Amino acid sequence: MDKETVKKKKQVLLYYCIEMEDVARNIASASDSILLHSINWRSFADGFPNLFINNAHDIRGQHVAFLPSFSSPAVIFEQLSVIFALPRLFVISFTLLLPFFPTGTFERMEEEGDVATAFTVARIISNIPISRGGPTSLVIYDIHALQTGIPLLKRRLQLLPNSEKIVIAFPDDGARKRFHKQLVDYPHLREGDKRIVWLKEGNPAGCHVVIVDDLVQSGGTLIECQKVLAAHGASKVGAYVTHGIFPKCSWEHFLHKNDGSEKAFTYFWTTDSCPHTVKAIANKAPFEVISLAGSIADALQI
């Protein structure tokens, strides 16, 4: 290929919050065109943020990105302050990388008086100041779109022994409709309603069944699905979710025990979109983290 036809990668300066430092370092390792820059996350005596963007003069005329974590209301305000400040520093473009948008999972407007917190945060993000290059680019891994996570899962499944025996299961019809086209290389099973689980379609006997969904909270549905699959003869059961939320340490329900008891889930894969979970499950079977770093690095070149 002629060198002139090869698109030159743009250099991106990546800032990040403290919680996402490991992910940021993985992103930078995935591309030599991404350089890490830091922020001093200081506080005044009364607890309000006292923030400082390092190398602020050096980022003029540069492509700049920020990697936040909206893991709790306590950290959102200080990160929004940085997000609104960066585009004003005469940068040529600004990209906001938000692997997981947590408030979007619970948004319900069922009666007068309900407050739409996800909509409020979305409106705030929509009003980020424009940079020299125009409006902010937002990269988000939506809870109902696994276009990025599924290819990562497929590559991991190909490395497993007896990969030809793998069958994909969906916990409900909604998950199947959204994701089955990305997994056409594998036989599919369907399970019933999330409140009452039964095997609706397919035969798992003798197969390694991998349950695929967008996120997990308590994990109760996955556990019930595993019981049904095991009862129908599945040799192994694994699970994949893009966003491992696990409030109140609910990931503990999936741990392999040291007392020799049955290991219900042979594998449990999730991405590094939720940093608190990644830290909690590190080196604990059956969990394995599949990093989004490579896909995020690619997205920064769009």
Side-chain angles (χ1 to χ4, degrees):
M1 183 180 293
D2 193 312
K3 290 183 179 180
E4 293 182 358
T5 63
V6 178
K7 184 179 179 181
K8 184 179 179 180
K9 288 188 175 182
K10 64 183 179 183
Q11 186 180 80
V12 180
L13 309 183
L14 177 60
Y15 287 87
Y16 53 90
C17 71
I18 295 173
E19 291 180 8
M20 298 298 281
E21 181 175 357
D22 289 342
V23 179
R25 295 191 181 280
N26 289 335
I27 294 171
S29 297
S31 173
D32 56 9
S33 64
I34 298 174
L35 302 178
L36 295 185
H37 280 231
S38 61
I39 294 169
N40 289 342
W41 300 94
R42 307 172 303 191
S43 298
F44 291 108
D46 61 0
F48 268 78
N50 177 19
L51 310 173
F52 185 80
I53 299 171
N54 295 312
N55 307 109
H57 288 288
D58 297 337
I59 71 175
R60 294 182 179 183
Q62 302 290 328
H63 298 285
V64 174
F66 180 65
L67 180 65
S69 172
F70 288 179
S71 58
S72 71
V75 299
I76 290 179
F77 173 68
E78 62 181 9
Q79 293 181 73
L80 285 174
S81 299
V82 170
I83 290 167
F84 272 65
L86 284 169
R88 297 180 180 274
L89 295 176
F90 302 100
V91 302
I92 197 169
S93 72
F94 180 62
T95 302
L96 178 62
L97 306 166
L98 188 58
F100 178 50
F101 185 51
T103 54
T105 64
F106 293 112
E107 193 75 293
R108 295 289 186 274
M109 294 294 292
E110 297 177 344
E111 60 179 315
E112 188 174 0
D114 284 337
V115 178
T117 55
F119 181 60
T120 301
V121 177
R123 282 192 297 179
I124 293 172
I125 292 175
S126 297
N127 284 281
I128 296 172
I130 62 173
S131 63
R132 287 174 55 188
T136 294
S137 296
L138 175 63
V139 178
I140 186 170
Y141 294 90
D142 182 70
I143 58 174
H144 293 134
L146 297 185
Q147 285 83 351
T148 300
I150 291 298
L152 299 175
L153 171 64
K154 290 171 69 175
R155 287 198 290 270
R156 181 64 183 92
L157 294 180
Q158 290 169 1
L159 300 176
L160 295 177
N162 299 318
S163 59
E164 73 279 358
K165 280 285 191 179
I166 292 175
V167 173
I168 300 298
F170 300 104
D172 55 45
D173 284 337
R176 181 184 180 277
K177 290 176 182 177
R178 290 194 296 269
F179 313 136
H180 79 281
K181 290 183 179 179
Q182 301 172 62
L183 291 160
V184 293
D185 298 332
Y186 296 93
H188 291 174
L189 302 174
R190 279 192 294 173
E191 294 167 271
D193 182 81
K194 284 193 173 185
R195 296 179 183 274
I196 304 174
V197 178
W198 73 94
L199 190 63
K200 188 171 183 178
E201 178 181 282
N203 181 12
C207 295
H208 178 182
V209 183
V210 178
I211 307 169
V212 174
D213 209 351
D214 43 21
L215 60 82
V216 59
Q217 295 273 0
S218 68
T221 297
L222 291 177
I223 291 172
E224 293 304 314
C225 289
Q226 183 275 332
K227 292 178 181 178
V228 171
L229 292 168
H232 284 78
S235 60
K236 296 179 182 178
V237 178
Y240 167 84
V241 296
T242 299
H243 306 295
I245 303 170
F246 292 118
K248 299 180 180 179
C249 299
S250 55
W251 51 267
E252 293 178 347
H253 299 307
F254 296 88
L255 290 179
H256 288 177
K257 307 298 183 182
N258 294 322
D259 57 4
S261 60
E262 182 182 2
K263 300 176 177 61
F265 284 83
T266 307
Y267 301 96
F268 198 120
W269 296 284
T270 186
T271 74
D272 47 4
S273 66
C274 300
H276 287 306
T277 295
V278 172
K279 184 177 180 180
I281 66 176
N283 301 316
K284 293 182 175 67
F287 293 104
E288 182 178 330
V289 176
I290 301 175
S291 181
L292 295 171
S295 62
I296 293 176
D298 292 339
L300 286 173
Q301 293 300 321
I302 297 175

